[in-house]
């Protein structure tokens, strides 16, 4: 299977020069598939957790955004039950100049600063708005239970 | 009939369908147009617009903003798209704060009258396109005035994908930090001619969809739009029936089929009622009773009033719903009929029975006309055959047999109107005004049936009764016009009182 230069370059770079707290490993047989592990940012309720994600570069990449999904359960207003992520750069604000590493960095910072005003998981967002300290406690609990 | 603008002031337009414009002065046509000379009270002014005319409107809106604000055409167009084509609002906003308005589309004040002559350039030395990262030599590259340069092929692919996804509102430079907008001349340079046309068509589509007084014709594949300045708030006393230049009639208010004299709100309510299952529930109410003990639904299909529930074994009386043990030996009749215990249950049942009967009364008539309207096409084909027959069997010319086509058109149109009078009447409270409405309805219905009957006659008879048929056609359209006029007047006067609990 042959891959566009851009994908080969990005894959090489993300392995040789990884972003701190993020490991992305391309599948050996298909460079469009990445197994990703993002460490929960310090000071966030996700601290100490290692979150597994899968990332796929569609045929149209980089004209279209990569498809990214959490495999580990996360209690977060912008991540739903099946791991789908509500993030502007993955949708409307995608630009072909963005890369895998910038997308993963955005996801990491989304963990750091949840946005309950633009929710994907409505129940979590409600809980977050009503009683944020309780929601944060639940997020911590989930991190301990599922992400360690 | 191919002229591009038609105004709503002529009712006889549909009758012209088979004619060339040059024959309008013949008497075959003037007979049906007695009521069509001046605007009718129940019609709203509107204009049907072709794709070409929409394009012109679009361009003239851009020109307007361009002149008002001293912008270049490209920038004016972009601002207008970004501000949903609201000229007044955009004009005010721009004059109030030009810098911020331009900022909203990613431009600096210095670009206000910017006219871009985009060019493809060869790659500078050591150039690497950040999108494809292809080290091979790049034949040509492209950059917007912001200077972010990419290979032309990536730029082209990007724009093509945006257009194919219909994402045309505001596309910018490929650099994720840069918001420099892509203007028309860039689309033109980078897209293939067919993709560029597609982009322009999408803009027209967006234009119509953004403006409340423009709507696309609701018929599939019809390319006309209609302009009609009717307020959503006025829909309770105006029924804006419009017709595009392809002869498709529809309601501008709710973008549905023509439904005069029924107002949009009742049209929606009626459709919902017909579509949902509430009448099934009503039937169950009328024809079955629940076992007084276990509530199992029981239908009485003959036999005596002594009911034995199969489910719980309870013995009870169908008539009074009381236990059978109190009835002694009086089989086949219930002497306890007036007993108070059963009274309420019976009242409730009578009520839903009356309600169902009332609904069915209106629905059957509505459905009857609906069915007739469905046969429209057959009737139309039959008419054409009759017209040919007449031309062959008599000395009548093609022009002279057109009265049959007119009659057929009037008949179809009136049936549609009648259909909606029943939906409207269903929601009317019983009072004198409603009585008048129903009289008008009845007159129209009788006339329509008469015309329909005349229409069924065989060819030879049709030829001899030509004048009679012409008169009847004229009479029927007058009746329709009267009914619509009076309903419209009533809407404006607030004469109709609705009972919406049904």
């Amino acid at each position: 299977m042959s891959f566009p230069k851009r994908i080969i370059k990005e894959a090489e770079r993300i392995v040789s020069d990884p972003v701190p707290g993020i490991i992305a490993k391309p599948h050996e047989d298909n460079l469009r598939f990445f197994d990703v592990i993002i460490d929960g940012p310090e000071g966030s309720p996700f601290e100490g957790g290692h979150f597994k994600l899968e990332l796929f570069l569609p045929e149209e990449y980089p004209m279209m955004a990569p498809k990214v999904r959490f495999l580990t359960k996360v209690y977060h207003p912008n991540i739903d039950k099946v791991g789908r992520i509500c993030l502007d750069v993955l949708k409307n604000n995608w630009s072909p100049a963005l890369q895998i590493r910038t997308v993963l960095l955005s996801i990491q910072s989304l963990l750091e600063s949840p946005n309950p005003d633009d929710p994907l998981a409505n129940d979590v967002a409600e809980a977050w708005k009503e009683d944020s300290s309780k929601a944060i406690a639940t997020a911590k609990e989930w991190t301990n239970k599922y992400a360690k | 009939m191919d002229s591009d603008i038609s105004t709503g002031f002529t009712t006889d337009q549909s009758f012209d369908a088979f004619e060339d414009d040059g024959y309008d002065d013949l008497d075959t046509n003037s007979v049906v147009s007695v009521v069509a000379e001046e605007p009718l009270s129940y019609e709203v002014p509107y204009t049907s617009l072709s794709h070409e005319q929409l394009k012109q409107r679009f361009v003239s809106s851009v020109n307007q903003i361009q002149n008002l604000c001293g912008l270049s055409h490209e920038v004016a167009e972009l601002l207008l798209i970004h501000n949903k084509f609201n000229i007044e609002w955009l004009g005010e906003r721009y004059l109030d704060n030009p810098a911020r308005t331009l900022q909203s589309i990613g431009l600096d004040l210095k670009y206000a009258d910017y006219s871009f002559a985009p060019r493809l350039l060869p790659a500078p030395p050591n150039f690497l396109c950040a999108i494809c990262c292809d080290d091979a030599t790049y034949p040509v590259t492209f950059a917007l005035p912001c200077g972010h340069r990419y290979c032309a092929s990536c730029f082209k692919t990007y724009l093509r994908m945006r257009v194919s996804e219909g994402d045309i509102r505001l596309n910018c430079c490929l650099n994720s930090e840069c918001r420099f907008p892509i203007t028309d001349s860039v689309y033109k340079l980078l897209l293939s001619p067919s993709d560029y046309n597609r982009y322009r068509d999408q803009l027209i589509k967006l234009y119509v969809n953004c403006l409340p007084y423009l709507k696309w014709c609701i018929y599939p594949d019809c390319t006309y739009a209609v302009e009609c300045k009717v307020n959503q708030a006025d829909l309770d006393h105006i029924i804006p029936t419009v017709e595009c230049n392809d002869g498709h009639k529809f309601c501008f208010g709710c973008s549905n089929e023509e439904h005069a004299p029924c107002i949009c709100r009742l049209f929606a309510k009626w459709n919902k009622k017909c579509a949902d299952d509430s009448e099934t529930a009503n039937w169950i109410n009328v024809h079955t009773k629940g076992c007084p003990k276990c509530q199992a639904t029981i239908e009485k299909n003959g036999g005596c009033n002594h009911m034995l529930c199969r489910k719980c074994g309870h013995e009870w009386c169908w008539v009074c719903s009381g236990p059978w043990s109190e009835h002694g030996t009086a089989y086949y009749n219930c002497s306890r009929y007036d007993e108070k215990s059963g009274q309420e249950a019976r009242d409730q049942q009578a009520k839903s029975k009356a309600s169902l009967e009332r609904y069915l009364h209106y629905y059957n008539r509505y459905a009857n006309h609906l069915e007739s309207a469905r046969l429209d096409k057959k009737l139309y084909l039959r008419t054409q055959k009759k017209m040919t027959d007449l031309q062959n069997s008599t000395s009548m010319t093609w022009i002279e047999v057109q009265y049959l086509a007119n009659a057929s058109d009037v008949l179809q149109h009136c049936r549609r109107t009648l259909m909606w009078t029943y939906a409207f009447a269903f929601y009317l409270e019983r009072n004198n005004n409603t009585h008048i409405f129903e009289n008008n309805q009845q007159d129209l219905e009788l006339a329509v049936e008469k015309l329909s009957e005349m229409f069924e006659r065989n060819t030879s008879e049709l030829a001899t009764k030509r004048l009679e048929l012409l008169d009847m056609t004229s009479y029927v359209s007058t009746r329709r016009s009267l009914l619509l006029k009076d309903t419209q007047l009533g809407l404006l006067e607030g004469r109709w009182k609705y009972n919406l609990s049904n």
Side-chain angles (χ1 to χ4, degrees), chain B residues 334-348:
Chain B
C334 172
S335 51
R336 305 170 67 253
Y337 187 81
D338 287 315
E339 194 84 3
K340 206 158 184 201
S341 65
Q343 192 68 45
E344 269 175 38
R346 286 195 297 274
D347 280 355
Q348 193 49 46

Side-chain angles (χ1 to χ4, degrees), chain A residues 56-74:
Chain A
F56 171 68
L57 305 175
E59 183 61 35
E60 298 86 352
Y61 182 82
M63 297 305 163
M64 285 234 287
K67 310 242 178 277
V68 198
R69 187 170 80 93
F70 270 87
L71 297 174
T72 309
K73 267 172 86 91
V74 200

Side-chain angles (χ1 to χ4, degrees), chain B residues 453-484:
Chain B
E453 193 196 316
M454 288 168 100
F455 213 78
E456 302 284 329
R457 291 179 192 159
N458 59 39
T459 317
S460 58
E461 215 176 325
L462 273 178
T464 53
K465 296 278 173 67
R466 174 162 172 268
L467 208 62
E468 201 183 313
L469 195 71
L470 277 171
D471 283 347
M472 202 58 208
T473 311
S474 159
Y475 176 69
V476 167
S477 22
T478 316
R479 292 268 26 132
R480 173 175 179 271
S481 189
L482 281 175
L483 182 134
L484 290 180

Side-chain angles (χ1 to χ4, degrees), chain A residues 23-111:
Chain A
I23 304 168
K25 223 172 89 194
H27 282 199
E28 270 173 28
D29 54 343
N30 189 348
L31 283 183
R32 288 181 183 273
F33 268 110
F34 290 78
D35 293 322
V36 180
I37 294 171
I38 296 183
D39 293 343
E42 271 176 43
S44 76
F46 309 100
E47 184 176 348
H50 306 288
F51 296 89
K52 276 192 195 161
L53 297 92
E54 61 179 10
L55 182 146
F56 171 68
L57 305 175
E59 183 61 35
E60 298 86 352
Y61 182 82
M63 297 305 163
M64 285 234 287
K67 310 242 178 277
V68 198
R69 187 170 80 93
F70 270 87
L71 297 174
T72 309
K73 267 172 86 91
V74 200
Y75 192 79
H76 190 291
N78 310 101
I79 301 164
D80 75 0
K81 262 185 251 161
V82 290
R84 289 177 301 194
I85 308 163
C86 176
L87 187 61
D88 58 349
V89 293
L90 290 178
K91 298 188 176 107
N92 305 344
N93 283 357
W94 171 253
S95 143
L98 291 169
Q99 300 178 7
I100 299 173
R101 72 170 49 230
T102 43
V103 165
L104 293 179
L105 271 168
S106 300
I107 294 174
Q108 197 179 35
S109 72
L110 185 71
L111 285 178

Side-chain angles (χ1 to χ4, degrees), chain B residues 221-254:
Chain B
D221 297 331
C222 181
T223 55
Y224 283 98
V226 170
E227 178 183 41
C228 178
K229 290 190 172 150
V230 109
N231 271 331
Q232 284 293 315
D234 290 335
L235 290 179
D236 266 0
H237 45 89
I238 291 174
I239 306 146
T241 304
V242 298
E243 180 180 349
C244 82
N245 261 3
D246 221 358
H248 303 132
K249 291 195 178 72
F250 63 98
C251 170
F252 190 88
C254 59

Side-chain angles (χ1 to χ4, degrees), chain A residues 5-6 9 60 62-64 95-98, chain B residues 130-133 135 154 158 161 165 174 176:
Chain A
K5 273 264 170 59
R6 153 111 182 213
K9 279 202 172 163
E60 298 86 352
M63 297 305 163
M64 285 234 287
S95 143
L98 291 169
Chain B
I131 306 296
C132 60
C133 302
D135 313 302
C154 279
Y158 175 68
M161 285 204 49
E165 278 169 37
L174 272 57
S176 59

Side-chain angles (χ1 to χ4, degrees), chain B residues 147-368:
Chain B
H148 300 111
R149 188 163 292 281
Y150 300 98
C151 79
S153 126
C154 279
F155 233 114
K156 284 179 181 171
T157 317
Y158 175 68
L159 281 193
R160 199 179 58 235
M161 285 204 49
R162 301 299 280 186
V163 171
S164 75
E165 278 169 37
D167 217 338
I168 50 161
R169 269 170 207 270
L170 187 61
N171 286 322
C172 330
C173 172
L174 272 57
N175 186 302
S176 59
E177 309 283 310
C178 177
R179 291 190 57 236
F180 201 94
I182 292 170
T183 50
D184 186 64
S185 56
V186 179
Y187 281 106
K188 196 165 192 176
L189 175 77
L190 296 177
L191 289 174
S192 68
S194 70
D195 281 337
Y196 178 70
N197 283 338
R198 192 162 159 199
Y199 164 69
R200 296 304 304 181
D201 285 352
Q202 283 176 353
L203 280 185
I204 300 295
K205 212 180 220 168
L206 194 66
Y207 174 69
V208 173
N209 291 343
C210 282
L211 293 175
Y213 54 84
L214 285 181
K215 270 184 190 163
W216 292 107
C217 171
I218 62 165
Y219 283 74
D221 297 331
C222 181
T223 55
Y224 283 98
V226 170
E227 178 183 41
C228 178
K229 290 190 172 150
V230 109
N231 271 331
Q232 284 293 315
D234 290 335
L235 290 179
D236 266 0
H237 45 89
I238 291 174
I239 306 146
T241 304
V242 298
E243 180 180 349
C244 82
N245 261 3
D246 221 358
H248 303 132
K249 291 195 178 72
F250 63 98
C251 170
F252 190 88
C254 59
S255 285
N256 278 302
E257 56 177 301
E258 178 189 10
H259 57 69
C262 190
I263 58 173
C264 294
R265 193 156 54 97
L266 297 182
F267 167 84
K269 207 170 152 65
W270 173 262
N271 273 347
K272 187 162 177 274
K273 186 173 180 71
C274 294
D276 76 12
D277 236 10
S278 63
E279 294 314 315
T280 310
N282 240 339
W283 188 90
I284 291 174
N285 258 342
V286 173
H287 297 279
T288 70
K289 282 185 181 180
C291 162
K293 206 169 174 193
C294 71
Q295 301 309 320
T297 307
I298 293 168
E299 180 191 6
K300 178 170 162 14
N301 55 1
C304 76
N305 293 323
H306 181 181
M307 310 305 289
L308 172 68
C309 176
R310 285 217 181 167
K311 204 170 158 201
C312 69
H314 180 62
E315 290 178 62
W316 53 288
C317 168
W318 177 263
V319 180
C320 69
S321 300
W324 189 253
S325 55
E326 292 170 17
H327 286 68
T329 51
Y331 287 93
Y332 291 102
N333 81 67
C334 172
S335 51
R336 305 170 67 253
Y337 187 81
D338 287 315
E339 194 84 3
K340 206 158 184 201
S341 65
Q343 192 68 45
E344 269 175 38
R346 286 195 297 274
D347 280 355
Q348 193 49 46
Q349 200 164 10
K351 239 187 188 165
S352 43
K353 189 162 185 166
S355 154
L356 177 67
E357 270 170 12
R358 184 167 180 277
Y359 170 73
L360 286 177
H361 169 88
Y362 289 103
Y363 182 77
N364 285 337
R365 281 154 185 81
Y366 161 88
N368 177 37

